[in-house]
Amino acid sequence: MKNLLAILAFILLLAPTTAQNVEFVDNEECGCELKYVDGIQTTSENGLFGFRLADGTQIAPNIYRYVDEFHGDYCKVYLDDNQCGMIDRNGNTIVPCLYAGLEYPSCGRILAVRNGLAGFLDMHGNEVIPFTYRMASSFSENCACIFVTIDSFFSACTFIDTLGRQLFEPVYQNIRPFNEGYALIRRYDRWGMMDHNGQEVLPPQYEVMTSNVNGYFFAGDADGWALFDYQFMPLTDYVYTDATPMSDNRIGVKRNGKYGFLDPTGREVIPCIYDETGIFSMGRTLARLGEHYGIIDTLGNIILPFEYEDKTPKGIKYMYYDSLAMVEKDGKIGFVDLDGKLAIPFYFEEGYPFSEGLACVKHNGMWGYITTTGEVFMPFIFQHASPYRWGRAEVVYMGNVSRVDRRGKCVKNCKGVIAWRNWKE
């Protein structure tokens, strides 16, 4: 479990991005990432990058030293390390490459950094909020966090709206962006919460506080936290010292050094008796008692008994991907189904969880790929292999790093290589 309070004093937030449809071309010998993101492909020439459409139409020339992938309608591009700009899906320049850094648009505003100061641009690249802030966040719920210099010794935090108007007096030492109607505020060394009217719905009185997620948050001190709802009332005693986000209607917590789970009412539906737990996925999560691992469901029922290990170095075990969880026993890797039944025997020395219907696993010192039914997809001939992502995986064959597609065909660094998918073990 990761402590949710490991938060930087002030952060620049990335704007939300939309889901992307990614396709690849077959020949990636140029060394660049020849992939189509929502129908736009990266191109490369003489070490510089640009973009073209699927029909071959070049929409942005190969003039950029670095390029990002398209995030919705926009992509960040760099002429140099400190010359960042933004183009749209037609290759038009939205923001010229004049800035040390940019964030993707949020609430119609683009956070930019120039000469060490932050300001905001509109969707045409025009400066609408001057570059006067030592630090700022992207907009969230039409508000952005800013640092305001009070005098030569002091600065404080407040919020501005999309026109740059300061909304409240800068009286806080730290703030967090608005989320679900509320923002965290810190006065000196205590945290509280405010609404969009600037009302302190929870005065700064807590040493620790987590951001609100799904209408719940934790607050307390070093001795213990309580779970709160958005009536700002504690649902539990102040007995917890760690927490994870809600998953499958369960909130992971730590009490007296042990882990368990709460439901949204604050009831401890799975007692804090475990030495380790994960986050629920498909109604299942890992749990550890002493040296042994198992899997439990959202009611605390044991799906996989506590008879298993986690000694091999690769992969995430006991979490479900493609409806199978990688498990380990007696130094060997296998896979179990959602009922905890062995679906693929303990046959492998190392492995990674399934991704895109395939898992890379190690047998007799070499790596290959198997399907969810346990069939060999590519033989065990690689010195190393990576999980699939966006239809591609990287493999090390005869000391060379190559890329392979979802058909088992080599598409990058393929000199002298035949189609691995057709080889026999």
Side-chain angles (χ1 to χ4, degrees), residues 358-374:
L358 296 173
C360 52
V361 288
K362 187 177 183 181
H363 173 57
N364 287 338
M366 302 297 284
W367 290 81
Y369 290 84
I370 60 172
T371 68
T372 54
T373 60

Side-chain angles (χ1 to χ4, degrees), residues 264-279:
T265 70
R267 184 168 62 98
E268 200 170 286
V269 290
I270 299 177
C272 292
I273 60 174
Y274 297 105
D275 295 296
E276 181 182 353
T277 56
I279 294 176

Side-chain angles (χ1 to χ4, degrees), residues 391-417:
R392 292 295 189 269
E394 288 192 338
V395 295
V396 180
Y397 178 70
M398 302 292 289
N400 295 315
V401 179
S402 299
R403 182 170 291 169
V404 62
D405 69 13
R406 187 59 178 78
R407 297 168 294 174
K409 179 181 178 182
C410 181
V411 293
K412 181 177 178 182
N413 197 16
C414 305
K415 187 176 181 180
V417 175

Side-chain angles (χ1 to χ4, degrees), residues 151-178:
D151 53 39
S152 59
F153 294 100
F154 298 102
S155 61
C157 301
T158 186
F159 292 93
I160 57 173
D161 65 14
T162 55
L163 297 178
R165 295 175 298 197
Q166 186 174 300
L167 298 178
F168 316 114
E169 287 298 315
V171 296
Y172 300 109
Q173 278 62 58
N174 209 334
I175 54 179
R176 298 283 184 265
F178 275 95

